[in-house]
Amino acid sequence: MSIFVKYVIGNWKLNPKTPAESLALAQGLQALGAGKVKVGCTPSFVHLAGVTDVLKTSDVWVGVQDVSAFGATGAFTGDVSAVQVTELGAKFTLIGHSERRQYHGESDKTLAQKMINAHLANLVVVFCVGESLDEYQSGLAFNVLDKQLSVLHQIDKSQINADKLIIAYEPVWAIGTGLTPTLDEIKKTHAHIKHYLSTQCHADLPVLYGGSVNDKNASDIASCQGVDGVLVGGASLKIESFAPIVSAFSQLS
Ligand code: PGA
């Protein structure tokens, strides 16, 4: 993926309640996403078809929040495959979001398999990593990030496509809390992740920041060295708060 483009991706999580609300949100996105900012959104699976339809003539990238670690089709009750979402027009998927790790106990092995399946289906993967509050306070953040990123080596090189990989750094303690690391911490952590990727994976990948990004802090975060974009949860659910975040990135020279 290009590190010259900036990515502003909405993680809609388990929102909104109705298809009509998702479609309205998608309509609001239609005008965004041109130029050097790649705007994306990740509706619920059940709203995916409607949202891809609304956005099919726009530059907005539609993705999903997860894919199955199992087959493209088959006896895997409750799962949704990368191939199925590609058929509906999805172009990317999040993998390893901390809420998946926490509530679904997703292991590194599972995440590696999801990544393989996503790339087999030609989806771009936004691989999420981030430390907990305890790990942050104990000064272990970089060790945790290295361990989470090491999943990338567990995958055979023939099964992973670095051209379709983006990393999202999301400190767990910053998600939905209104707290963010300082700009200096963000800069240092992104530099650490980029150093890890270039030395251990020989890859130069975009690294997004996520965790309590909003219309107030977006400009500062956008101007932070090493930040190639943002993954936005709560503030992506209203165009009034999401559009200014996109503007903050499009105004960068
Ligand atoms: P938040 O969520 O912006 O609501 O903190 C970010 C995320 O979980 O991706």
Side-chain angles (χ1 to χ4, degrees):
M1 301 303 300
S2 170
I3 52 165
F4 302 108
V5 171
K6 300 289 179 184
Y7 301 84
V8 179
I9 297 179
N11 175 10
W12 292 4
K13 309 193 182 190
L14 210 170
N15 297 296
K17 184 174 172 185
T18 64
E21 288 169 281
S22 274
L23 297 190
L25 196 48
Q27 272 150 10
L29 293 179
Q30 276 169 336
L32 304 177
K36 57 190 177 183
V37 181
K38 189 81 190 157
V39 174
C41 66
T42 57
S44 149
F45 289 130
V46 293
H47 300 165
L48 176 63
V51 169
T52 51
D53 192 49
V54 168
L55 292 169
K56 65 178 184 264
T57 55
S58 76
D59 288 316
V60 177
W61 226 23
V62 183
V64 290
Q65 301 163 23
D66 186 41
V67 292
S68 172
F70 301 101
T73 56
F76 306 108
T77 302
D79 269 28
V80 176
S81 75
V83 167
Q84 286 178 316
V85 300
T86 306
E87 288 292 325
L88 289 182
K91 301 284 188 240
F92 71 98
T93 182
L94 309 183
I95 288 183
H97 189 279
S98 61
E99 286 149 17
R100 300 292 314 172
R101 295 177 192 259
Q102 183 182 350
Y103 301 126
H104 298 268
E106 294 189 348
S107 66
D108 287 354
K109 194 161 166 256
T110 300
L111 299 179
Q113 194 54 55
K114 289 184 175 206
M115 224 177 291
I116 292 168
N117 290 356
H119 279 172
L120 266 176
N122 226 11
L123 292 175
V124 168
V125 168
V126 179
F127 183 56
C128 306
V129 294
E131 81 284 358
S132 68
L133 185 59
D134 267 4
E135 291 158 347
Y136 170 72
Q137 287 173 336
S138 325
L140 292 173
F142 287 0
N143 305 54
V144 171
L145 295 172
D146 291 358
K147 162 85 178 48
Q148 291 175 340
L149 290 166
S150 72
V151 168
L152 301 173
H153 317 282
Q154 292 168 25
I155 305 172
D156 190 283
K157 290 222 165 19
S158 64
Q159 292 180 298
I160 193 161
N161 182 352
D163 291 339
K164 289 191 176 282
L165 194 53
I166 295 174
I167 305 298
Y169 166 57
E170 298 201 299
V172 179
W173 53 271
I175 295 178
T177 58
L179 302 172
T180 55
T182 64
L183 295 176
D184 194 49
E185 285 172 320
I186 294 176
K187 189 172 120 192
K188 286 192 174 125
T189 308
H190 279 236
H192 176 83
I193 293 172
K194 283 178 181 254
H195 179 73
Y196 181 98
L197 294 169
S198 69
T199 53
Q200 307 294 316
C201 308
H202 310 291
D204 192 8
L205 307 179
V207 181
L208 316 187
Y209 169 77
S212 294
V213 177
N214 58 40
D215 48 343
K216 313 275 181 312
N217 60 22
S219 295
D220 284 343
I221 293 173
S223 56
C224 202
Q225 197 185 346
V227 172
D228 300 307
V230 281
L231 184 56
V232 185
S236 70
L237 296 173
K238 289 208 166 76
I239 292 302
E240 306 85 85
S241 44
F242 192 63
I245 300 173
V246 176
S247 301
F249 278 86
S250 51
Q251 276 159 21
L252 295 173
S253 54

